[in-house]
Structures are given as C-alpha cells and as structure tokens.
Amino acid sequence: AELAQGYVQANRTYRLKCINIEADQDNFKNLQANTESYGNLIQNLFGTFTENIDEVLQKTSGNPTLFFLDPFGIKGMDWNSIQRIIHRGTATDLWIRFDHTAVTRLNKRFRGSDKGAIKSFDILCNSYGIKDRNFLHNQLSGNSPEERKQNAVNVYMSRLKNEIQKARGKHFVAAYPI
C-alpha cells in the first residue's frame, strides 16, 4: 500500500493497486481499519480466495498482476482458481505460501469414514485438483515427516509446472522454505 501510494505521489504513469482477501470477520474489520487511509489504492474483499476469484480476475483483466496467496492452511484456495490465474493470458506472477503442515494433517484423515474426515480429505482433493483420493493419498504419504513434507510440496509444484506448461509453454516454478 505504501509503494502504491509512493507511485501516486511521484506522478508515475503506472499504478499499483492492492486487493486483499480475508475470510475471518474480525481480521477483515481490522484490515479495513488499517488500510482505510490508502483510499482507492486498496480494496478489501471478505471471504476466501476461491469465493472472490471472479471479482479479482475481472478487476485485474488485461493488467500485469502479482498474486500472493497466503492462506491459513489450504482451505479456500481450490485448484480451479489457481488454474484460472495461470490461464488468464496476461503477465502473471503467482506466489503461494504453501502450508505443507495442513496437507500432512489432512492426509492423515484419509482412512476416516466420519463426515469430518471425508470433508477434510475433500479439501486436499480440491486444493490439488486431484479427484482420485487413493492416488492423492499415496502421492502424499511417506515414511517420515520430512518425506511427507517433501511429497506435499513436490506434488503441488508438479501440478503447477504441468498447468503452466499447458497454458504458456514456458514456466518457472520453485519452492523456498520460509
């Protein structure tokens, strides 16, 4: 927001606008209060990323865009939304803070037959865009916590690489620990 404001003050010929999405009501109110002074340089949307993808894509249409996705866990960041970003046809950078801990926790619920376990694993299927539950579970499993972590990240990176390859031919996908 400060960078966007600096561009306006420096009379740049280009503009930077920020779209923030927050699903927690209290955090959203706090976000609204803390960004109010930036005026129309900031737009805050309530809900999950997936719930707001149509509006975000409409607002960024035709403009180079940096998407920084920083979900709490992985819920609300469905694969079909990621695909829509990748296929948007305009210069796009996509940065994702990927929560491998949530993935391994949800993958442990695979064998559960209760409603909560099924719903938990559905979140994984939606996030990875893989409908075959057995296949996804096997891809994410491993003999150690480190192996399960690597599998969670590698499977997601592979999905990204393949999708970007289909959309653009060229791609760069990398993972960095935070």
Side-chain angles (χ1 to χ4, degrees):
E2 290 173 0
L3 184 61
Q5 194 171 49
Y7 289 166
V8 170
Q9 292 168 346
N11 291 320
R12 303 281 187 191
T13 57
Y14 48 87
R15 297 285 181 249
L16 174 66
K17 293 190 176 192
C18 302
I19 301 172
N20 303 308
I21 301 171
E22 178 55 56
D24 179 86
Q25 186 67 46
D26 290 334
N27 290 344
F28 183 76
K29 287 177 187 175
N30 190 32
L31 178 65
Q32 291 280 78
N34 283 293
T35 59
E36 187 175 19
S37 66
Y38 293 100
N40 68 354
L41 298 175
I42 302 292
Q43 180 177 8
N44 299 316
L45 304 174
F46 180 73
T48 67
F49 174 70
T50 295
E51 291 167 345
N52 285 286
I53 188 67
D54 290 332
E55 185 171 354
V56 170
L57 290 176
Q58 184 270 325
K59 290 185 178 301
T60 61
S61 179
N63 295 301
T65 305
L66 166 66
F67 289 84
F68 174 59
L69 308 180
D70 185 13
F72 183 76
I74 60 170
K75 186 177 181 181
M77 194 176 75
D78 296 350
W79 183 252
N80 63 355
S81 297
I82 300 300
Q83 284 179 303
R84 291 179 67 191
I85 291 171
I86 291 170
H87 289 272
R88 68 191 280 279
T90 308
T92 304
D93 274 6
L94 175 58
W95 299 2
I96 302 172
R97 188 198 60 80
F98 187 77
D99 190 348
H100 60 79
T101 305
V103 171
T104 54
R105 181 178 45 80
L106 292 172
N107 192 41
K108 289 178 184 175
R109 309 270 334 254
F110 174 70
R111 299 257 183 254
S113 58
D114 62 282
K115 202 174 192 178
I118 293 168
K119 190 174 180 179
S120 292
F121 204 82
D122 285 345
I123 292 169
L124 275 183
C125 292
N126 289 335
S127 296
Y128 278 91
I130 297 174
K131 294 183 190 319
D132 185 331
R133 299 165 73 82
N134 289 316
F135 175 77
L136 180 57
H137 172 69
N138 290 334
Q139 292 293 301
L140 298 176
S141 296
N143 295 322
S144 68
E146 183 60 33
E147 186 178 354
R148 290 187 291 274
K149 171 186 159 183
Q150 272 314 123
N151 289 344
V153 172
N154 290 341
V155 171
Y156 200 79
M157 285 181 53
S158 176
R159 299 281 295 147
L160 287 171
K161 286 176 186 176
N162 290 337
E163 198 63 39
I164 295 168
Q165 183 72 33
K166 281 195 289 189
R168 306 221 166 133
K170 297 184 256 180
H171 67 276
F172 175 76
V173 177
Y176 304 96
I178 298 175

